[in-house]
Amino acid sequence: MKRCSMIAVAALTAYATATTARAETSTECTPNALCYCVQNDLKGVIAIRVDEIRTRISAQRQQGKAIGYLSIPISTIQGSYLPVNVKIAAQTKERVEERFGPRSLWLLNTAAKEFSLPGTAKGEDYMLMWTRVLEGSDGFGRDFDFIYFAGPSDFAQYFSFDGRTDLEKLERFYDGLAKTDSKLAEIKKTDFRNYYGLRASVAFSFGSHDEWNIVRTINAKRTAKKDGEDAFGIAKQIAVMFNGTSVAPGLFDAPSATGNEGQCPLPKK
């Protein structure tokens, strides 16, 4: 067994056998001063996952591929359903890679099972992990060429919307899925229908709001570094796509409402 795998198993085992006392949290900040309220006993697992993801990215980069990051709502909340979102994320990754060519581009699927944290992990824990992945060690996001924010069209393609009675299609989809998935009953059919028919998009995701602001911060940092051997400048910003289309130039500088970031007090100096 490789050393990194042994460390990962040890960390997860230690977590699983820990006491049942309420997890303590503390503020963790990234190179670009983005801070999250993170469970202390998950920090080791998060560090391992970050290394694993960076290794995966590096392997794709060595093949000469452009590297992207998929931002997509995942959690079960307000009618949204995690198992469905995981399938939509996988389909979106496949479609984007097919569009640009899988030999030339690789999209990091943030909903993939292999990147998950232990079951008690919350949004803040995941966002510390993904912020570190996006920023890289120095905050310039050197591992990524673009970020893809999933929009209504990405969800519509999964449900085969055609502009005719789409909400009714969702009701039938719900009824069909409920026959094999008993947990779906925890979500009302009307909530499921209204979410996927009217709101399914990064616009309604705390984590995606964070990711928008992360990329905005990285691009601002790149724009400012326009001189010297290691210069970036505006021409080397991370490309941003929403709903399958590049965003307008002005949106690069527009902040989004805060999601999970900044909800914990800063460490005392």
Side-chain angles (χ1 to χ4, degrees), residues 42-61:
L42 288 181
K43 292 180 182 179
V45 180
I46 291 171
I48 291 168
R49 286 286 182 272
V50 170
D51 287 341
E52 291 172 345
I53 295 167
R54 286 175 176 168
T55 298
R56 187 77 63 90
I57 292 170
S58 178
Q60 296 295 325
R61 178 71 80 186

Side-chain angles (χ1 to χ4, degrees), residues 185-238:
E186 299 174 6
I187 300 176
K188 294 179 180 179
K189 183 195 293 189
T190 53
D191 289 343
F192 182 93
R193 178 199 66 195
N194 292 345
Y195 175 80
Y196 287 106
L198 305 174
R199 294 193 300 275
S201 165
V202 294
F204 298 90
S205 166
F206 270 19
S208 294
H209 279 218
D210 287 324
E211 287 160 340
W212 179 275
N213 289 329
I214 293 163
V215 176
R216 173 180 173 272
T217 302
I218 292 172
N219 277 339
K221 190 169 184 175
R222 286 189 175 198
T223 301
K225 191 175 179 60
K226 55 187 176 181
D227 298 314
E229 182 179 348
D230 190 30
F232 282 93
I234 195 169
K236 290 187 178 181
Q237 290 181 312
I238 295 177

